[in-house]
Amino acid sequence: HSLFDAHNVAEVALETDAPVPPADLAIEAFAGLPRGDAFAMRRFGGGVAVGGLADAGNASYASSVAQVLLRVPCVSLWLQAHVTQCEGFASTDGDAGERCAACALWATCLQLGSAEVPELVRQRAAIDSRFAGQEQHDAAEFMQLLLMRLRGGEVRAGRATEWCVGQTAETQATHVDRLFGFVQETRRQCKQCASCSACYAPSNVLV
């Protein structure tokens, strides 16, 4: 039988209730912004930038990810709010003058329809050093690391809220988690006594 049958009552491993989904959390810095669900996207469906990006050659994986993200209304609204609160330069990586990932993504939005090299493509090595060269990479890999960098920037800037304290290894949530994150529940059942236990881990849509 399934571990999710109604008669199986999970005894949570950490003796706590399931964590609140990140989409249900409030981030003070972005109060009023929609979370990343389909209903919110339909409500805020207007005003999304259109137009293509200049040919990025072997770095097309970065421009492809930018094109997808910038056409999600909730992402576009968050980026507009982000740039009003961010100085636009990362100081933690030791690369003076380097834009933070969110600011680079917004600058790329402003380049839609132009012949300029997309800012996210130009700054791709700041997402991860593996993207510094001209080698081709998988777009999903780039997006995964971009989401991590976006999230990390928000945590460092203090635009986060307490989450999952005592329940998971991660204790903070950002608006990036509200847009892309969820809580993954894992259940285990003892073969001898048939009791069930549950544990939780933050995850995102690409895992």
Side-chain angles (χ1 to χ4, degrees), residues 32-88:
L33 285 185
R35 61 187 186 180
D37 61 87
F39 295 104
M41 292 180 187
R42 284 199 290 269
R43 289 197 303 271
F44 293 85
V48 178
V50 295
L53 291 170
D55 182 14
N58 283 352
S60 59
Y61 59 88
S63 58
S64 297
V65 167
Q67 295 247 31
V68 170
L69 290 178
L70 293 174
R71 281 162 175 75
V72 179
C74 293
V75 173
S76 182
L77 286 168
W78 168 63
L79 291 173
Q80 292 179 60
H82 168 90
V83 295
T84 66
Q85 303 182 46
C86 181
E87 296 179 357

Side-chain angles (χ1 to χ4, degrees), residues 17 126 135 170:
D17 295 329
E135 297 85 2
E170 185 53 65

Side-chain angles (χ1 to χ4, degrees), residues 15-28:
E15 297 183 355
T16 183
D17 295 329
V20 175
D24 292 345
L25 298 172
I27 308 295
E28 184 178 353

Side-chain angles (χ1 to χ4, degrees), residues 35 82 125 128 180 185:
R35 61 187 186 180
H82 168 90
D128 192 275
F180 298 98
E185 177 182 349

Side-chain angles (χ1 to χ4, degrees), residues 185-204:
E185 177 182 349
T186 302
R187 293 194 180 192
R188 295 181 175 87
Q189 184 177 42
C190 176
K191 291 183 177 180
Q192 294 183 347
C193 67
S195 63
C196 298
S197 65
C199 58
Y200 306 93
S203 190
N204 66 49

Side-chain angles (χ1 to χ4, degrees), residues 124-133 149:
R124 64 189 184 278
I127 306 304
D128 192 275
S129 59
R130 73 189 71 179
F131 303 122
R149 183 57 63 117

